[in-house]
Amino acid sequence: MSKNFYITTPIYYPSGKPHMGHAYSSIIADIFARFKRIEGFNVLFLTGTDEHGQKIQKEAKRNNKEPKVFCDELSENFRSLTKILNLSNDDFIRTTEKRHYKSVNEIWKRLVQSGDIYLDKYCGWYSISDEAFYDQDEVEDKNGVKVSKSSGSNVEWVEEESYFFKLSAWSKKLLDHYEKNTDFILPRSRKKEVIKFVERGLRDLSISRTSFSWGIPVPNDNKHIIYVWLDALTNYISALNFPDTSNKKFRDYWPADVHIIGKDILRFHAIYWPAFLLAAKLPLPKRVFGHGWILSDEKKMSKSLGNILDPIEIIEKYGIDQLRYYLIKEVSLGNDGSISMSNLKNCINNDLANNYGNLCQRVFSFIKKNCNNKIPKRKNLIKSDLNLLDNLKRNLPKLIKLINEQSLNEYIKMVVNFSFEANKYFNDSEPWNLKKNNPERMNSIIFTISEQIKNISILLNPIIPLSTNKVLETMNISSRDLLIKNISNQDIFDHDIELKEIDILFKKIEDDN
Ligand code: MSP
């Protein structure tokens, strides 16, 4: 089995400020990337910005800037967001980079060679905000304005010469692919929507525009600009040095293991992208996972409703691990989910401060007071100790399976449950009553609970990397040992070294905060 793993986020339009939706796609992808790394895979995790098209050109103009200058400034916001969110991305691609131009040019040439491109005239609806073409039946009238039924954004009538991609010719191949590769589109509910759409019959897709100039010109016909989605989707292979398909990066990482995207851009990733790749004679990604939308107090976040939750403000106030944990715990990954400040506070207090944080802190201060600040050796474990440890180890294959299916919510529930169990074990075992009369038993309990804190910290590490790293460092576990396989190891502690100092892991949030 290949030990390489390639995961991507959507590349973001840099025209506005990064918001919770962007943070959500990126955090999800980061969690999987981190997990696969500690599972022992060579991971490539890609994110970046999508900088061409009419929407960006319009925004640049509104700001009185040249599009490239505008993008240089705004793309930086997204690059710094990767740091703020503590993403472990290996690369950050911009569609204005040379490596990307090369790759898009080659894709275009391949589509021409395969006979999938022809010149015609496009007459139909276009949404600049979605950078998407819509059929008549996908558009409705709202207070005299034409809008897209699915996204609600304004559409305008476009009539211009355009190159077309023979998408209609690929319907059957796509349907076969969905059938043979049952997990190509996840979650399953989303897959059904896509199949229905393709079964209705696909129309050829307009893949160039002439009414603006900000983009990659069509090779040999410079008045046409390549449609921004054909341009953007290609980023996933530009980062692997395509068109050089024999280079190591491309050989190691293509096809991608999973594209993490939001449900609103599923059609582009599950229909257009595989059709382009089939026509270009390139392998298809193994999976496209479409997550749901984050709602604020049950409503879509919007400026006019004033319910936008700014990820950066929340991080500054409560911390990045807190936001990462909350988004993953509270929102069911495939569905839309509501978030609110009051839920965020409850989640931080109950799960992080009172449960995992409290467990670590109580155990560490007990060790300091009663065990010379060193973790005792594994010795004379009894049934209740072994039960606690074995239960987690027995469930390890299941946890790995959950991650491989992108079932993050179930994964986190199981891990939090181990933490509740560990707290209960510590309370029930009452090591504080054993110091005088049975120090050996006390030591066995402290070894067991320390071992379990290490295991839980490894499992939580992809979700809350900063805090779990602190815990593991306190226990003198080196970053080299932060591996899933060390959960089944017997005893990797150094018993001769004292625990390091640790400050409070998660501050409890009071009501007026
Ligand atoms: N540039 C395209 C993607 C090209 S990928 C080849 C794009 N960019 S975007 O900036 O508009 O959105 C990027 C991601 O943010 C999408 O996955 C989208 O679903 C996600 N979100 C935007 N708002 C969201 C929420 N409120 N909730 C969750 N995610 C949503 O589309």
Side-chain angles (χ1 to χ4, degrees):
M1 213 182 79
S2 134
K3 271 291 198 181
N4 298 322
F5 187 83
Y6 181 29
I7 184 165
T8 63
T9 72
I11 49 169
Y12 304 108
Y13 293 126
S15 49
K17 247 178 57 179
H19 60 65
M20 201 55 94
H22 302 132
Y24 188 54
S25 292
S26 288
I27 289 171
I28 293 168
D30 186 57
I31 291 173
F32 293 122
R34 285 177 183 271
F35 188 93
K36 295 309 279 186
R37 274 193 210 104
I38 65 172
E39 206 191 333
F41 281 74
N42 305 312
V43 172
L44 180 67
F45 170 25
L46 176 71
T47 187
T49 43
D50 182 359
E51 306 184 6
H52 292 132
Q54 207 171 355
K55 173 155 129 167
I56 304 281
Q57 180 168 318
K58 233 174 105 182
E59 268 309 296
K61 197 162 171 214
R62 220 169 50 85
N63 286 277
N64 275 325
K65 299 225 160 111
E66 279 301 311
K68 179 64 170 51
V69 175
F70 180 66
C71 288
D72 285 347
E73 286 172 17
L74 291 180
S75 176
E76 269 317 299
N77 293 339
F78 284 82
R79 207 187 279 273
S80 43
L81 187 71
T82 63
K83 304 278 174 301
I84 297 170
L85 298 176
N86 194 12
L87 302 186
S88 60
N89 57 300
D90 302 283
D91 196 353
F92 185 98
I93 191 159
R94 299 180 56 190
T95 53
T96 46
E97 286 175 60
K98 223 177 173 176
R99 57 174 170 165
H100 181 66
Y101 272 62
K102 247 169 83 181
S103 156
V104 172
N105 268 290
E106 173 68 15
I107 277 282
W108 184 276
K109 280 189 203 144
R110 284 187 177 218
L111 301 188
V112 171
Q113 267 162 21
S114 68
D116 280 281
I117 290 185
Y118 62 91
L119 188 64
D120 203 340
K121 189 172 172 195
Y122 179 76
C123 300
W125 297 105
Y126 191 77
S127 155
I128 298 181
S129 152
D130 304 343
E131 295 283 19
F133 300 97
Y134 289 110
D135 290 344
Q136 187 63 43
D137 62 351
E138 294 177 298
V139 167
E140 63 185 353
D141 201 284
K142 225 177 195 173
N143 309 323
V145 181
K146 295 281 186 214
V147 298
S148 144
K149 282 184 192 167
S150 54
S151 68
S153 18
N154 290 2
V155 294
E156 61 182 39
W157 186 257
V158 169
E159 281 191 24
E160 62 188 31
E161 186 186 82
S162 170
Y163 284 98
F164 280 79
F165 171 71
K166 284 187 192 162
L167 184 62
S168 57
W170 294 98
S171 307
K172 170 87 178 52
K173 280 250 161 61
L174 288 171
L175 289 169
D176 286 351
H177 188 79
Y178 305 147
E179 199 183 319
K180 275 197 209 114
N181 300 275
T182 42
D183 291 339
F184 175 64
I185 304 169
L186 284 184
R188 296 261 150 81
S189 53
R190 296 266 137 72
K191 179 179 169 175
K192 283 189 202 136
E193 288 165 31
V194 171
I195 292 180
K196 243 201 212 139
F197 186 81
V198 178
E199 277 174 347
R200 268 187 11 212
L202 293 173
R203 299 232 247 140
D204 289 350
L205 182 70
S206 162
I207 49 164
S208 76
R209 306 283 317 272
T210 51
S211 47
F212 64 93
S213 57
W214 179 235
I216 303 182
V218 165
N220 306 321
D221 194 351
N222 282 353
K223 75 173 191 292
H224 284 262
I225 294 297
I226 296 178
Y227 175 38
V228 64
W229 271 99
L230 172 54
D231 165 341
L233 288 160
T234 307
N235 92 86
Y236 300 131
I237 51 175
S238 310
L240 307 178
N241 305 324
F242 181 78
D244 179 4
T245 50
S246 56
N247 86 89
K248 182 162 163 43
K249 223 172 184 184
F250 192 89
R251 279 189 288 115
D252 281 354
Y253 291 111
W254 193 257
D257 290 271
V258 55
H259 294 312
I260 300 289
I261 55 158
K263 63 175 186 179
D264 50 319
I265 55 173
L266 187 61
R267 194 185 289 185
F268 302 97
H269 283 82
I271 301 174
Y272 302 169
W273 180 224
F276 296 149
L277 289 168
L278 284 168
K281 301 192 174 51
L282 288 167
L284 307 196
K286 292 181 205 152
R287 181 170 299 167
V288 174
F289 187 95
H291 65 70
W293 276 67
I294 304 254
L295 309 174
S296 169
D297 290 323
E298 309 295 336
K299 292 187 204 83
K300 196 173 160 182
M301 274 184 241
S302 79
K303 276 189 198 143
S304 54
L305 289 173
N307 62 349
I308 293 190
L309 293 176
D310 180 345
I312 298 175
E313 266 172 36
I314 295 185
I315 293 164
E316 276 168 2
K317 201 157 172 193
Y318 302 115
I320 176 58
D321 277 0
Q322 285 79 343
L323 176 68
R324 290 171 66 108
Y325 184 88
Y326 173 64
L327 286 179
I328 301 311
K329 175 80 189 311
E330 292 292 310
V331 183
S332 161
L333 194 57
N335 304 315
D336 291 352
S338 204
I339 58 171
S340 70
M341 289 312 280
S342 63
N343 277 344
L344 170 74
K345 289 175 197 170
N346 286 339
C347 180
I348 295 175
N349 288 347
N350 295 338
D351 283 28
L352 294 178
N354 292 347
N355 185 0
Y356 172 71
N358 188 36
L359 172 70
C360 298
Q361 238 115 17
R362 277 170 81 198
V363 171
F364 295 155
S365 56
F366 188 92
I367 294 177
K368 190 169 182 184
K369 255 210 217 124
N370 304 294
C371 312
N372 298 326
N373 206 19
K374 291 175 187 157
I375 297 172
K377 290 201 173 118
R378 181 187 176 110
K379 219 164 138 195
N380 302 332
L381 300 196
I382 64 170
K383 205 164 156 224
S384 59
D385 312 329
L386 293 169
N387 275 350
L388 183 84
L389 299 176
D390 289 346
N391 186 26
L392 188 149
K393 284 174 198 161
R394 222 187 13 257
N395 276 293
L396 208 48
K398 179 155 183 211
L399 288 163
I400 293 173
K401 187 164 174 274
L402 288 174
I403 290 285
N404 287 335
E405 293 166 349
Q406 283 78 45
S407 299
L408 254 188
N409 304 91
E410 281 100 288
Y411 174 87
I412 206 166
K413 255 185 230 140
M414 274 182 83
V415 180
V416 169
N417 218 20
F418 292 135
S419 182
F420 273 116
E421 267 178 18
N423 259 313
K424 183 169 183 312
Y425 162 90
F426 191 60
N427 287 342
D428 293 352
S429 317
E430 301 183 338
W432 42 89
N433 289 332
L434 298 169
K435 180 152 193 211
K436 255 202 210 132
N437 301 327
N438 196 350
E440 284 220 347
R441 177 67 202 131
M442 179 192 80
N443 282 342
S444 308
I445 294 168
I446 298 307
F447 168 81
T448 305
I449 195 72
S450 304
E451 172 72 6
Q452 196 69 341
I453 288 177
K454 179 208 79 192
N455 294 339
I456 293 168
S457 301
I458 293 176
L459 292 173
L460 283 179
N461 183 264
I463 302 161
I464 47 170
L466 276 184
S467 332
T468 48
N469 279 341
K470 272 195 212 160
V471 169
L472 292 167
E473 273 162 29
T474 300
M475 301 171 105
N476 299 302
I477 301 283
S478 88
S479 53
R480 273 199 324 274
D481 284 329
L482 173 48
L483 288 169
I484 294 290
K485 75 172 197 295
N486 277 333
I487 288 178
S488 25
N489 264 11
Q490 294 283 302
D491 182 354
I492 61 164
F493 294 120
D494 188 331
H495 302 279
D496 300 324
I497 312 186
E498 287 192 26
L499 296 189
K500 298 209 172 71
E501 283 297 319
I502 187 166
D503 346 310
I504 194 136
L505 273 174
F506 306 101
K507 258 217 241 98
K508 261 185 129 168
I509 299 165
E510 306 303 335
D511 265 349
D512 50 351
N513 237 318

